[in-house]
Amino acid sequence: MYDKLIFEISKPGKRGASLPKLDVPRQTDLLPAALRRTSPLGLPEVSEPEVMRHFVNLSTKNHHIDKGFYPLGSCTMKYNPKVNEVAARLSGLADLHPHQDARDTQGALRLMVELAEALKEVTGLEAVTLQPAAGAHGELTGLLLMRAWHEAQGHQRKKVIIPDSAHGTNPASIVTAGYEVVQIKSNSEGLIDLDSLKCCLDEDVAAMMITNPSTLGMFESHIQEVSEAVHKAGALMYMDGANLNALLGIAKVSAMGFDVVHINLHKTFSTPHGGGGPGSGPVAVNQKLMPFLPGPLPVREGDKYLWADSGPKSIGRVGGFYGNFGVMVRAYVYILMMGAEGLRQVSERAIINANYIRALLEPYYDLPYKGRTLHEIVFSGDRLKEFGIKTTDVAKRLLDYGFHAPTIYFPLIVHEALMIEPTETESKETLEAFAQTMIRITEEARENPELLHQAPITTPVGRLDEAAAARNMDLAYKGSKV
Ligand SMILES: *Cc1c(COP(=O)(O)O)cnc(C)c1O
């Protein structure tokens, strides 16, 4: 069942806007006849309250962070403070045109310079490009920077090593950057196995790419040894810092031996990103990689801000203009509002929240990797298999209780994975309500497994054939006359 489409509530002659009468001569011949529309546009005809109610109702059909808890692991769905939105909508920022001269856009340039400074402080690295428009785009940029560095050293290398817990974008970016993927197995604790790593470090290895804390939410405690071994082999260290929510003000990427890191402003620094965007994936590098950064770079000179050319070794632009500026504004406001102390508290509280979830759910769900939990926790739904229940069923049933599902079936090294990332913005009461629901679902699995197979039953659409829904999308309104 669905609500009526706006075209279906349309009635001829209804109007949602009133404009004053035209008091200048009507110009009909400014466009050549061939370009002019000959039939009416076919827009719905509705009143202002009808438009308003239609779209407000639609906006509540989807789950979002302003509506409820969204513990989607690895995605850091934290609440986005509304002050960020106020700043991003200021017309002096929102209405800028990218072709405007630097003299007229001093404020925007200053914002970018200061945001880059803050990210340098957070990572401990030397320079930042804000151009990449998403995390995966940052990965590709970082890989191309490393590639350019190797070329400048005079040796071509072919391979990039990743652990088997890597985020799916990592192998994809590696291949896109022209490298081969070498995957190494994690040890029984879910961490990088130093011996397997050392075995594959040869002259063909360009880099190692790691997420730390790993996608299991655990810190790679041997990271400095890993970095040392990789550097000794003449390769570079790439950190996937899409999610820095456990590290802010606590640990610097530079101290772990990384040469380059990408950061997802839309995760750690609060821009909402459900539904695929918008994003921003700045890349921070150390001295070695600085000459290769994409340009132009916003810089400060005296009390002026300007665009500096990136020099002859630059890999060139990785995007039109300078990235997703609106996301930068939100991240900048977020960082200023938090301050250094506040950012540290973000991470401390994110870690406490994940550990609280762990404590509440460990008696009910298996925890295959039991190392210390940082910002997220990965359970397995294996125990429910005896009732014929899969992790998908648990995830779908959660929707009936008003929660977004955790990330499921990732990381791949955990069977029936349920990856829960509560973030710091959730209260103790919310975490408890979620945990009680997760426990209740284990009871339902025992008592009424059929219910779980049918879930969700309270959402606007029920259980979909996920493959078909993605492959045969039906997005167009067929009745439209347009
Ligand atoms: C989200 C994420 C990415 C990809 O970021 P996008 O902005 O979606 O491209 C990469 N790695 C990790 C660990 C992530 O969580």
Side-chain angles (χ1 to χ4, degrees):
M1 208 199 64
Y2 65 90
D3 285 2
K4 282 190 172 167
L5 299 175
I6 195 155
F7 290 98
E8 291 167 340
I9 52 177
S10 170
K11 287 261 163 60
K14 274 203 189 180
R15 288 290 172 265
S18 49
L19 292 173
K21 250 200 156 112
L22 192 67
D23 59 358
V24 291
R26 179 185 286 272
Q27 294 275 343
T28 50
D29 53 0
L30 289 178
L31 275 180
L35 295 179
R36 271 181 259 150
R37 184 177 273 285
T38 52
S39 56
L41 194 52
L43 293 176
E45 297 178 82
V46 282
S47 69
E48 183 174 330
E50 281 169 342
V51 177
M52 203 61 205
R53 287 176 190 158
H54 180 73
F55 286 106
V56 168
N57 285 331
L58 280 184
S59 76
T60 61
K61 291 203 188 298
N62 223 339
H63 195 84
H64 49 89
I65 194 70
D66 289 342
K67 190 174 160 184
F69 187 41
Y70 207 134
L72 190 66
S74 202
C75 292
T76 319
M77 305 302 282
K78 63 174 70 178
Y79 177 75
N80 167 49
K82 292 301 164 259
V83 62
N84 293 353
E85 295 307 305
V86 174
R89 282 168 175 69
L90 289 174
S91 72
L93 296 172
D95 298 340
L96 287 178
H97 191 281
H99 278 312
Q100 253 167 285
D101 196 274
R103 277 171 306 181
D104 306 331
T105 53
Q106 287 290 296
L109 281 163
R110 177 175 165 194
L111 187 151
M112 285 192 261
V113 167
E114 291 182 3
L115 175 60
E117 288 297 324
L119 297 177
K120 282 195 246 172
E121 181 62 31
V122 163
T123 58
L125 288 166
E126 244 75 43
V128 168
T129 169
L130 297 168
Q131 241 178 56
H137 195 192
E139 289 173 25
L140 178 62
T141 306
L143 283 155
L144 293 177
L145 292 172
M146 296 193 291
R147 195 178 180 91
W149 181 81
H150 280 296
E151 260 156 33
Q153 308 307 301
H155 46 244
Q156 302 291 345
R157 296 187 169 217
K158 296 201 191 96
K159 303 183 286 194
V160 176
I161 301 176
I162 53 168
D164 54 5
S165 57
H167 193 267
T169 49
N170 294 179
S173 301
I174 292 169
V175 171
T176 312
Y179 287 114
E180 280 165 37
V181 178
V182 178
Q183 188 171 296
I184 55 166
K185 271 199 167 8
S186 302
N187 63 20
S188 57
E189 292 162 49
L191 300 175
I192 292 166
D193 187 60
L194 215 54
D195 292 331
S196 340
L197 170 65
K198 285 183 178 158
C199 289
C200 30
L201 278 174
D202 59 30
E203 292 182 348
D204 270 341
V205 173
M208 165 128 205
M209 198 172 186
I210 318 176
T211 306
N212 195 23
S214 72
T215 56
L216 292 168
M218 295 178 341
F219 193 78
E220 294 286 356
S221 45
H222 299 300
I223 191 64
Q224 282 169 325
E225 283 167 88
V226 169
S227 295
E228 219 169 276
V230 169
H231 284 141
K232 219 166 125 203
L236 297 171
M237 284 291 284
Y238 183 102
M239 165 136 154
D240 177 339
N243 194 325
L244 291 180
N245 226 30
L247 303 182
L248 299 174
I250 298 177
K252 292 200 178 183
V253 171
S254 58
M256 301 173 207
F258 288 102
D259 301 285
V260 50
V261 58
H262 85 264
I263 304 152
N264 281 20
L265 297 185
H266 48 293
K267 292 181 180 169
T268 314
F269 298 99
S270 84
T271 295
H273 55 285
S280 178
V283 172
V285 299
N286 62 12
Q287 297 263 272
K288 270 189 215 168
L289 296 170
M290 257 165 81
F292 306 100
L293 285 175
L297 289 161
V299 293
R300 180 177 17 228
E301 251 184 42
D303 57 356
K304 296 247 165 9
Y305 295 87
L306 44 95
W307 290 109
D309 268 346
S310 44
K313 292 186 180 163
S314 165
I315 60 168
R317 277 176 190 260
V318 293
F321 302 110
Y322 325 110
N324 273 336
F325 183 65
V327 182
M328 293 176 211
V329 177
R330 291 174 177 89
Y332 178 74
V333 174
Y334 179 76
I335 290 170
L336 288 187
M337 295 290 290
M338 286 292 170
E341 187 47 36
L343 287 180
R344 190 188 165 95
Q345 283 174 3
V346 162
S347 286
E348 287 171 352
R349 290 173 189 180
I351 294 169
I352 290 172
N353 276 2
N355 278 281
Y356 192 41
I357 292 278
R358 173 177 176 161
L360 295 173
L361 291 182
E362 211 174 335
Y364 302 90
Y365 288 86
D366 293 327
L367 190 62
Y369 295 102
K370 297 192 170 48
R372 285 215 184 148
T373 292
L374 291 184
H375 63 293
E376 64 193 354
I377 174 87
V378 185
F379 287 104
S380 161
D382 247 356
R383 213 187 281 182
L384 299 175
K385 270 201 183 143
E386 65 169 300
F387 312 113
I389 295 302
K390 291 197 278 203
T391 288
T392 328
D393 304 317
V394 177
K396 298 290 183 198
R397 185 63 177 147
L398 275 169
L399 307 180
D400 282 332
Y401 290 105
F403 296 112
H404 196 281
T407 293
I408 54 174
Y409 300 107
F410 176 76
L412 304 175
I413 54 176
V414 174
H415 289 273
E416 298 292 317
L418 281 154
M419 183 194 214
I420 303 169
E421 182 182 10
T423 84
E424 73 287 356
T425 56
E426 299 302 329
S427 67
K428 186 164 174 275
E429 292 74 24
T430 302
L431 301 182
E432 285 165 357
F434 172 74
Q436 276 157 17
T437 305
M438 288 286 287
I439 296 165
R440 180 157 172 195
I441 291 173
T442 64
E443 287 156 13
E444 289 178 345
R446 212 174 308 123
E447 289 155 13
N448 189 0
E450 198 37 42
L451 177 67
L452 298 203
H453 289 147
Q454 276 163 19
I457 50 180
T458 60
T459 49
V461 284
R463 192 170 298 203
L464 297 170
D465 174 339
E466 286 176 10
R471 287 195 188 125
N472 310 319
M473 280 194 272
D474 183 8
L475 302 175
Y477 174 59
K478 302 292 186 323
S480 165
K481 292 187 269 329
V482 182

